[in-house]
Amino acid sequence: MADATATHLHNFRPEIRREPASAEAFGIVERRLTVWEQLYGSGPVRKAFILLVLAAIWEVYGRSVGNPLLFPTFGETASALVSGLASGDLLMRVWASLQVLLIGYAIGIAAAAALTVVAISTRLGEDVMVTLTAMFSPLPAIALLPLALIWFGLGASSLVFVLVHSVLWAVALNTFSGFQSTSRTLRMVGRNYGLKGWRFVSRILIPAALPSIVTGLKIGWAFAWRTLIAAEMVFGVSSGQGGLGWFIFQSKNMLDIPAVFAGLLSVILIGLFVEGVLFKLLEDRTVRRWAMQS
Amino acid sequence: MNVMMSSPKTLVDDVAASEPILDIRDVTLQYTAGHLSILATYKVSAQVFEADRFVLLGPSGCGKSSLLKSIGGFHKPSEGEIRLRGRKVTEPGPDRMMVFQEFDQLLPWKTVVQNVTFPLMESGKVRTRKEAEERARHYLEKVNLTKFADNYPHMLSGGMKQRVAIARGMAMEPDILLMDEPFAALDALTRVKMQDELLELWDDTHFTVLFVTHSIAEAIKIGNRILLLSPHPGQVKAELNGLCRADAAGPKGKALERDIHDMLFADKASEEIRHHG
């Protein structure tokens, strides 16, 4: 009885049917963003602004110290950088470092690829990779330098050896975890197409794991830079006039502190370029375009 | 032979006399979960003929998805065998294209049209890129996705993704299309629309499809033959004929729905009575 009353009462509510409001009622539906909003929305502009602020803080602090032997200003460092580049000396050092770096990086990536393929093809291979990574990943590359000197002598090959060590584990670990997190459905789709072995890996697993692979490549690149600069400082001249690390070390010995800062600044600038331009291009064309990474 | 295959079967005798496309014989499936070995299906047999819309229907836990995956070649039966056009199924292959329930079955790094051409090229079904492209666009038109052919999957809605997967499967012109609850993750309105579209597509080309679902209504709407599986482990409970489309929507459909419902839940009801009585 109570139910019936309730239903009865409910039905007293009037029905509502409406026409949508006409377009004029809203005012502006679409408008262009103001210049400021656009500038703030752009990542490169925001980052450039941060760099400017940092440079300004550096300049102010350097002037307050007032001693170029302790802490040169941004201006002094910049002029040391420009004169180093102009004389060609710094450019040669950068080139020498980059050559070794690229060789080590490439070999490291190739070794990581081989190791990961072994790891995904058999269960034993997976154990081999996991164990090796757990053993060697925490080992600082510099700690291997004395051994490298004995095995490979005082040349570029020793540097390449420690570089490979610093790149290999980071890239292998990330690539492997990317393969493992590939969705079951995508794997089944690939096998449904009849893909097997290397074709399955290259057509399905590698693209599917690309976000992790790119992360691994970035980490590997940063590790390689650190290792190389440190190794060059310990190592001295490896080939020709030596690389950027040796340039920094030499400048310190000659108490040319602005040049030391200029060397450090060029490491930073190259790092910013690789991260902000090369890797960003790669990501924009791949993972971000496919919305596999935001 | 080719003429026979492309023309729809009209005579019942014709179907009965022909060889089954898919022959499932006494298939027992087991899988391991942790320390347990679980029986998914027990001695399931069924035959699927040319141009069948064959539905595997059962509650969750009846092993219908496991059975479909073993037909797909992903899972070896521990007993019995599965034959496709007389050849024993041993591994996955593009002669049995699958449509999955999950929306992530499209390759996110390929556009819609590339998703359709990719298996055509990789399996060697089509020789030239141009031919693959033409065929892909033809099937995308059939599922009304021409406008989105050059978009990436992440720009599509769930229903559109499933339509791409169907177009991809059909473009391969496989012996049989295996659909694993393809509409289960869609909203109710889209689901009804997709069911209608699937039937329209079938009217068009009379492809052979094996369709897994847990919805009795969907089974009656889609299937011309319905295999009922009982759960834990999956066993054949019945194999029924479907209704023609006008009947399926009317009182006959409702009656069949009740009938199937009673068959599937008869055991449970009697069990409950036993427990409470």
Side-chain angles (χ1 to χ4, degrees):
Chain A
M1 192 60 212
D3 276 342
T5 329
T7 323
H8 189 64
L9 280 175
H10 277 282
N11 283 346
F12 268 108
R13 286 189 294 182
E15 289 186 351
I16 301 168
R17 284 160 212 244
R18 278 186 180 164
E19 288 300 312
S22 63
E24 300 97 66
F26 296 119
I28 306 158
V29 180
E30 256 181 41
R31 78 176 164 86
R32 277 185 76 84
L33 294 175
T34 62
V35 176
W36 277 115
E37 282 170 325
Q38 284 184 42
L39 281 179
Y40 190 73
S42 145
V45 173
R46 284 199 309 271
K47 281 174 192 157
F49 177 70
I50 292 171
L51 290 181
L52 273 179
V53 169
L54 287 178
I57 293 173
W58 179 358
E59 182 69 31
V60 169
Y61 180 72
R63 285 189 188 191
S64 78
V65 171
N67 184 352
L69 279 183
L70 277 180
F71 201 95
T73 62
F74 175 71
E76 285 161 343
T77 308
S79 72
L81 185 69
V82 169
S83 69
L85 289 177
S87 73
D89 183 35
L90 192 56
L91 218 52
M92 290 296 292
R93 306 299 187 100
V94 168
W95 177 235
S97 286
L98 273 181
Q99 269 177 316
V100 181
L101 186 74
L102 286 177
I103 295 170
Y105 192 55
I107 298 177
I109 290 170
L115 191 61
T116 339
V117 167
V118 170
I120 52 163
S121 32
T122 62
R123 196 173 280 186
L124 192 68
E126 181 183 334
D127 294 340
V128 167
M129 196 203 101
V130 168
T131 315
L132 284 180
T133 310
M135 280 164 65
F136 292 116
S137 180
L139 202 61
I142 291 300
L144 288 177
L145 203 57
L147 271 183
L149 283 176
I150 296 170
W151 291 342
F152 300 102
L154 198 73
S157 39
S158 289
L159 285 177
V160 169
F161 174 77
V162 289
L163 280 178
V164 168
H165 168 81
S166 68
V167 173
L168 170 60
W169 312 112
V171 175
L173 204 60
N174 274 284
T175 308
F176 184 66
S177 76
F179 285 176
Q180 277 188 318
S181 58
T182 302
S183 88
R184 246 170 61 94
T185 317
L186 274 187
R187 287 163 184 272
M188 283 173 52
V189 166
R191 291 178 58 204
N192 187 208
Y193 295 171
L195 297 176
K196 275 184 259 179
W198 171 244
R199 292 204 324 145
F200 180 73
V201 174
S202 61
R203 307 287 204 281
I204 303 289
L205 286 185
I206 291 180
L210 210 57
S212 316
I213 294 176
V214 172
T215 307
L217 290 178
K218 279 185 181 176
I219 296 174
W221 176 261
F223 278 14
W225 252 128
R226 290 188 207 180
T227 306
L228 181 69
I229 300 299
E232 280 179 347
M233 291 178 87
V234 178
F235 215 64
V237 182
S238 61
S239 54
Q241 347 162 241
L244 206 46
W246 184 239
F247 174 84
I248 294 169
F249 197 70
Q250 253 183 335
S251 305
K252 187 223 89 180
N253 284 349
M254 296 189 299
L255 284 183
D256 187 359
I257 304 304
V260 172
F261 271 62
L264 293 174
L265 190 60
S266 31
V267 175
I268 292 171
L269 288 178
I270 294 168
L272 283 178
F273 174 75
V274 170
E275 169 86 31
V277 178
L278 295 186
F279 278 118
K280 187 164 182 310
L281 266 180
L282 178 67
E283 284 177 332
D284 283 349
R285 298 220 165 158
T286 57
V287 289
R288 218 162 280 143
R289 186 160 175 217
W290 309 328
M292 292 167 81
Q293 185 184 308
S294 54
Chain B
M1 187 64 197
N2 269 335
V3 180
M4 286 250 303
M5 265 159 57
S6 56
S7 70
K9 291 273 182 279
T10 43
L11 292 171
V12 180
D13 304 343
D14 209 8
V15 175
S18 62
E19 285 287 303
I21 285 195
L22 184 72
D23 196 357
I24 304 165
R25 265 186 236 151
D26 295 329
V27 168
T28 299
L29 290 172
Q30 273 173 316
Y31 63 93
T32 49
H35 294 290
L36 298 173
S37 170
I38 294 165
L39 200 59
T41 66
Y42 180 72
K43 295 210 172 183
V44 172
S45 295
Q47 291 186 324
V48 180
F49 289 88
E50 177 102 43
D52 258 346
R53 301 185 307 276
F54 198 98
V55 175
L56 290 179
L57 173 65
S60 51
C62 74
K64 54 192 187 302
S65 271
S66 305
L67 187 61
L68 194 82
K69 292 204 170 89
S70 77
I71 296 166
F74 293 102
H75 202 91
K76 277 212 175 68
S78 52
E79 232 181 282
E81 61 176 20
I82 297 164
R83 286 181 178 275
L84 183 76
R85 287 196 189 279
R87 294 184 313 272
K88 194 172 167 181
V89 167
T90 52
E91 57 176 6
D95 50 357
R96 287 146 286 147
M97 285 298 284
M98 301 197 62
V99 177
F100 298 91
Q101 178 184 340
E102 293 83 5
F103 295 152
D104 71 343
Q105 62 184 304
L106 302 181
L107 309 181
W109 56 92
K110 292 196 178 289
T111 61
V112 166
V113 68
Q114 284 167 350
N115 258 292
V116 184
T117 54
F118 179 65
L120 286 169
M121 299 294 295
E122 284 298 320
S123 65
K125 184 102 186 168
V126 163
R127 290 281 165 72
T128 64
R129 185 159 292 281
K130 191 165 166 274
E131 202 183 330
E133 177 106 7
E134 270 167 21
R135 203 199 274 211
R137 292 201 183 262
H138 171 72
Y139 278 97
L140 284 174
E141 197 190 324
K142 278 187 191 267
V143 295
N144 304 318
L145 281 177
T146 305
K147 260 199 266 173
F148 298 89
D150 296 311
N151 287 48
Y152 282 95
H154 70 90
M155 300 165 177
L156 307 184
S157 68
M160 288 158 125
K161 286 180 189 168
Q162 296 309 79
R163 299 218 297 261
V164 177
I166 292 170
R168 169 173 79 179
M170 289 183 55
M172 289 289 284
E173 291 168 7
D175 290 332
I176 187 168
L177 194 62
L178 305 176
M179 304 181 88
D180 189 5
E181 305 199 39
F183 308 145
L186 296 171
D187 64 274
L189 293 174
T190 314
R191 191 181 311 143
V192 171
K193 198 158 164 260
M194 296 286 292
Q195 290 163 351
D196 293 336
E197 284 184 13
L198 184 70
L199 288 173
E200 279 169 33
L201 284 173
W202 186 88
D203 291 340
D204 207 19
T205 49
H206 291 85
F207 53 93
T208 313
V209 57
L210 187 66
F211 191 102
V212 167
T213 181
H214 61 252
S215 153
I216 300 174
E218 187 170 65
I220 292 172
K221 185 168 177 185
I222 299 280
N224 70 327
R225 188 84 173 164
I226 302 169
L227 187 77
L228 254 62
L229 294 171
S230 63
H232 306 298
Q235 295 181 72
V236 176
K237 187 101 187 175
E239 196 178 321
L240 309 172
N241 277 320
L243 301 167
C244 72
R245 234 160 275 174
D247 285 343
K252 278 190 182 173
K254 283 278 168 245
L256 181 59
E257 196 171 331
R258 258 196 312 278
D259 209 16
I260 292 176
H261 185 273
D262 291 345
M263 262 193 261
L264 285 178
F265 296 105
D267 301 342
K268 211 180 219 176
S270 61
E271 232 170 70
E272 268 168 28
I273 289 164
R274 238 185 297 141
H275 280 300
H276 293 285

